[in-house]
Amino acid sequence: MARNVRLMHCTADDVFRVLANGWLYPLWVVGTSRIRDVAEDWPAEGATLHHSFGPWPLVTNDRTVMRVWDPPHRVVLEPHGGPIGVARVAIDVKPRGDACVVRLQEEPMTGPTRILPDTVFDAVTRWRNAETLHRLALLAEGGAPGVGGAGAAVGGAPPAEKEFPRP
């Protein structure tokens, strides 16, 4: 099982606002190229989002199922990856002062990645998931609409006009 941990300079609620928006999934999940549909009841347990992964023209359509939704503490996702198989991804969030610690654990459930030696699977997956947590942090710390901070720059209220002194 591959594990990654990252300190994020935001609240657990900020992280969960990103996770709750299925349309943001390809912005933080490395390898996901697009979202095709998000269930109306996302992020409820059992809800699905339909995504594609891989580079064009080798794009594969598949889905991710929400298995546990327990904000602001824990999420368990079951991403389906076509010929790669199914994985179990747990995201645990713990407050730490004005920040939070996010731990992402991934393990293969089905498919050819299950037969890889743990050291190989863990090395490749930890490298990819470090980038996944980096992207999630960028969104949660203020870049995603509705999360605060820089969210206004991506579709929120326009910034106030600045007065400049006349010469």
Side-chain angles (χ1 to χ4, degrees), residues 34-148:
R34 65 183 175 209
I35 287 291
R36 299 182 335 274
D37 190 34
V38 176
E40 286 185 28
D41 59 343
W42 183 268
E45 292 177 12
T48 59
L49 54 85
H50 298 270
H51 57 80
S52 302
F53 66 92
W56 185 88
L58 305 174
V59 173
T60 300
N61 292 335
D62 225 315
R63 65 192 168 98
T64 291
V65 180
M66 179 66 72
R67 292 299 179 202
V68 175
W69 177 251
D70 182 23
H73 309 289
R74 183 171 171 80
V75 168
V76 178
L77 300 166
E78 186 178 275
H80 294 236
I84 297 169
V86 178
R88 180 179 186 273
V89 176
I91 301 171
D92 294 290
V93 183
K94 295 190 190 275
R96 171 106 15 111
D98 352 341
C100 62
V101 175
V102 180
R103 181 182 68 186
L104 188 153
Q105 298 181 110
E106 181 174 347
E107 63 182 316
M109 304 303 288
T110 67
T113 54
R114 271 194 73 146
I115 61 172
L116 287 174
D118 288 343
T119 53
V120 174
F121 175 79
D122 289 357
V124 171
T125 305
R126 276 197 321 265
W127 182 57
R128 184 190 52 145
N129 286 344
E131 176 62 18
T132 292
L133 284 178
H134 175 72
R135 293 176 184 190
L136 180 58
L138 290 172
L139 293 167
E141 290 172 352
V147 178

Side-chain angles (χ1 to χ4, degrees), residues 16-29 32 34-39 42-43 48-51 66:
F16 274 80
R17 275 193 282 279
V18 174
L19 298 174
N21 185 339
W23 294 101
L24 296 178
Y25 191 81
L27 297 179
W28 63 272
V29 177
T32 304
R34 65 183 175 209
I35 287 291
R36 299 182 335 274
D37 190 34
V38 176
W42 183 268
T48 59
L49 54 85
H50 298 270
H51 57 80
M66 179 66 72

